[in-house]
C-alpha cells in the first residue's frame, strides 16, 4: 500500500509540474542620481534619485518537448523620483566676498561723488570769477560812456 501511495504521489507531482508553464523573471533597475546646487551665498543641495524599472518575463510552455519557443514579455513600470537629501546652507566665503565687493563699490561710489562735487565747485568758482570780471568790464564801460567831454551835456535818463 505504501508503494502504491508513493507511486500515486510521484505521478501526481510529475503531472502537476508538467502542466504549469515555466517562468523566468528578470528585473532591471536603473538609478540616476542628480545633485542640484544653487550658487550665491545660499547653497541649496538637493539629491534626487530617479529609478527606472523594466520587468522581463520569459514564459515557456509546460510540455516536455525540447527547443520550445519562449515568449518574452517586457513591461516598463514608470519612473519614480525619490529625494534623498535636501540641505540648505550659507556659504560663508561667498557671503564675505559679496560683502567686500559691496563695500568696495560703495566706497568707489562715494569717492566718485566727492570728485564730481569738487569738479562742479571748481566750475562754479570759474563761472563766478568770469561773471565778476564781466561785471567789472561792464561798469568800466558804463563809466567811460557816462563821462562826457566838458562841452557836452549830461545824459538824461528816460522815465
Amino acid at each position: 500500500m505504501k508503494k502504491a501511495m508513493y507511486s500515486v504521489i510521484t505521478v501526481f507531482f510529475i503531472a502537476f509540474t508538467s502542466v504549469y508553464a515555466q517562468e523566468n523573471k528578470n528585473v532591471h533597475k536603473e538609478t540616476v542620481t542628480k545633485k542640484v546646487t544653487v550658487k550665491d551665498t545660499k547653497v541649496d543641495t538637493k539629491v534626487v534619485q530617479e529609478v527606472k524599472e523594466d520587468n522581463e518575463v520569459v514564459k515557456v510552455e509546460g510540455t516536455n518537448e525540447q527547443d520550445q519557443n519562449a515568449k518574452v514579455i517586457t513591461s516598463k513600470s514608470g519612473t519614480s523620483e525619490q529625494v534623498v537629501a535636501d540641505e540648505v546652507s550659507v556659504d560663508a566665503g561667498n557671503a564675505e566676498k559679496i560683502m567686500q565687493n559691496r563695500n568696495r563699490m560703495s566706497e568707489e561710489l562715494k569717492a566718485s561723488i566727492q570728485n564730481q562735487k569738487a569738479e562742479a565747485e571748481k566750475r562754479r568758482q570759474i563761472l563766478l570769477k568770469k561773471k565778476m570780471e564781466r561785471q567789472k568790464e561792464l561798469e568800466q564801460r558804463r563809466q567811460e560812456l557816462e563821462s562826457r567831454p566838458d562841452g557836452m551835456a549830461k545824459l538824461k535818463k528816460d522815465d
Side-chain angles (χ1 to χ4, degrees), residues 96-129:
E96 185 177 331
K97 287 179 184 178
I98 288 174
M99 288 304 294
Q100 287 176 353
N101 285 341
R102 285 183 185 165
N103 291 339
R104 181 181 48 83
M105 290 182 77
S106 66
E107 290 173 4
E108 288 176 359
L109 183 62
K110 288 178 184 177
S112 173
I113 289 172
Q114 289 178 351
N115 288 341
Q116 288 179 357
K117 283 183 179 179
E119 288 178 18
E121 184 63 29
K122 286 180 185 178
R123 286 188 208 133
R124 190 178 71 76
Q125 291 294 332
I126 291 171
L127 289 175
L128 192 62
K129 188 176 180 182

Side-chain angles (χ1 to χ4, degrees), residues 19-142:
V19 171
Y20 289 103
Q22 297 177 8
E23 287 186 4
N24 186 5
K25 293 183 180 180
N26 292 331
V27 178
H28 298 284
K29 283 188 180 180
E30 181 178 328
T31 304
V32 178
T33 304
K34 295 179 183 178
K35 186 175 183 180
V36 179
T37 57
V38 178
K39 58 185 175 180
D40 202 17
T41 59
K42 183 179 176 184
V43 178
D44 185 12
T45 305
K46 191 173 194 178
V47 179
V48 178
Q49 282 187 345
E50 282 185 15
V51 178
K52 295 179 184 176
E53 209 172 286
D54 294 335
N55 294 327
E56 285 186 1
V57 178
V58 179
K59 286 190 177 183
V60 179
E61 291 297 323
T63 61
N64 291 332
E65 296 178 14
Q66 290 184 354
D67 298 331
Q68 296 180 10
N69 291 333
K71 293 180 185 177
V72 178
I73 300 171
T74 304
S75 64
K76 292 184 179 181
S77 59
T79 61
S80 62
E81 290 188 3
Q82 187 178 20
V83 178
V84 176
D86 192 5
E87 296 178 11
V88 177
S89 62
V90 176
D91 190 359
N94 282 349
E96 185 177 331
K97 287 179 184 178
I98 288 174
M99 288 304 294
Q100 287 176 353
N101 285 341
R102 285 183 185 165
N103 291 339
R104 181 181 48 83
M105 290 182 77
S106 66
E107 290 173 4
E108 288 176 359
L109 183 62
K110 288 178 184 177
S112 173
I113 289 172
Q114 289 178 351
N115 288 341
Q116 288 179 357
K117 283 183 179 179
E119 288 178 18
E121 184 63 29
K122 286 180 185 178
R123 286 188 208 133
R124 190 178 71 76
Q125 291 294 332
I126 291 171
L127 289 175
L128 192 62
K129 188 176 180 182
K130 285 183 180 180
K131 185 177 179 182
M132 295 298 285
E133 287 176 4
R134 285 185 196 142
Q135 288 288 341
K136 286 181 184 178
E137 280 183 28
L138 185 62
E139 191 64 35
Q140 191 178 22
R141 285 184 188 166
R142 181 176 288 145

